[in-house]
Amino acid sequence: RISRRALVKTGWAAAAVSPLPDLAKAQQVAPPLMWGALLHMGTNMWSDVPVTSWGPFKGEQLSLVCQADHLRFDEKVWQTLTARMQAAKMNLVVIDLGEALQYESHPELAVKGSWTVESFRKELVRLRALGLEPIPKLNFSTAHDTWLKEYGRQVSTPRYYQVCGDLVREVCAIFDQPRFFHLGYDEETA
């Protein structure tokens, strides 16, 4: 057993991918300059209860920080952004997945409108054809884990770590063993 504090302090990436020897294999030669952007497909990251105020968010904007039972993803905006990234000669896109996929290992995390794995793989092909290297992000930070539904309330339990491991393995396979994997925790300390 490992405590959450030890996990965050020592870097979960090593523990999460250690059973995945193929993950270390680079799928392509690193570009001389990595230039990209973080785009959110899933947005159930913050509050799992309705809020009446949240920092600079006001009125209808508050719905953006609250959990929803449907995917709040605009494919037209996504297409526009990725086309602009290509035009600007960007070469990398970090994709915050959250609830945006119907994970085969944990279908209970899907919401209405979540993409099938098959549909998302087609999108990865399109992104690569644009010259964008897709990098997955699953945010396991306790400040951004509403997308994990009930598992977000089971932090530091064997079940929680099993679910996280299942998701990391599945996403690595979906992304064809990416060079990088963003696990969140960037706003969290031990």
Side-chain angles (χ1 to χ4, degrees):
R1 283 183 67 164
I2 184 171
S3 70
R4 178 175 175 74
R5 180 178 298 272
L7 180 87
V8 172
K9 194 173 183 179
T10 60
W12 190 54
V17 300
S18 61
L20 302 169
D22 290 339
L23 184 65
K25 295 180 184 174
Q27 297 300 304
Q28 55 187 307
V29 175
L33 172 67
M34 291 174 27
W35 186 32
L38 165 65
L39 299 181
H40 283 259
M41 284 187 80
T43 57
N44 279 351
M45 302 290 155
W46 302 281
S47 182
D48 58 351
V49 296
V51 293
T52 55
S53 67
W54 188 301
F57 293 97
K58 306 283 185 232
E60 289 185 22
Q61 295 175 333
L62 290 171
S63 66
L64 299 173
V65 297
C66 296
Q67 184 176 20
D69 65 351
H70 60 281
L71 187 63
R72 295 172 288 186
F73 173 77
D74 188 320
E75 193 168 349
K76 185 176 179 185
V77 170
W78 176 267
Q79 299 285 336
T80 300
L81 287 173
T82 55
R84 287 182 181 175
M85 291 171 72
Q86 179 192 34
K89 305 219 182 312
M90 289 182 159
N91 57 17
L92 184 132
V93 57
V94 178
I95 305 169
D96 203 337
L97 295 166
E99 77 284 0
L101 293 186
Q102 296 172 19
Y103 302 102
E104 292 173 5
S105 61
H106 291 282
E108 69 275 16
L109 297 178
V111 295
K112 292 178 213 141
S114 293
W115 288 33
T116 65
V117 170
E118 181 181 326
S119 294
F120 186 68
R121 283 181 196 250
K122 290 176 185 173
E123 178 59 15
L124 291 175
V125 169
R126 187 189 74 81
L127 292 171
R128 289 179 178 122
L130 292 176
L132 298 170
E133 178 183 1
I135 302 298
K137 179 179 182 215
L138 291 176
N139 205 330
F140 294 108
S141 169
T142 56
H144 300 294
D145 66 351
T146 304
W147 67 276
L148 282 168
K149 296 183 176 177
E150 69 268 16
Y151 304 116
R153 300 206 181 264
Q154 297 175 21
V155 172
S156 294
T157 65
R159 181 66 180 142
Y160 174 83
Y161 291 123
Q162 178 65 50
V163 169
C164 293
D166 294 343
L167 293 168
V168 168
R169 279 187 288 281
E170 181 174 352
V171 168
C172 283
I174 292 168
F175 277 72
D176 301 315
Q177 309 307 329
R179 289 189 308 135
F180 302 102
F181 195 120
H182 193 321
L183 295 167
Y185 297 116
D186 51 303
E187 298 168 325
E188 190 167 325
T189 65

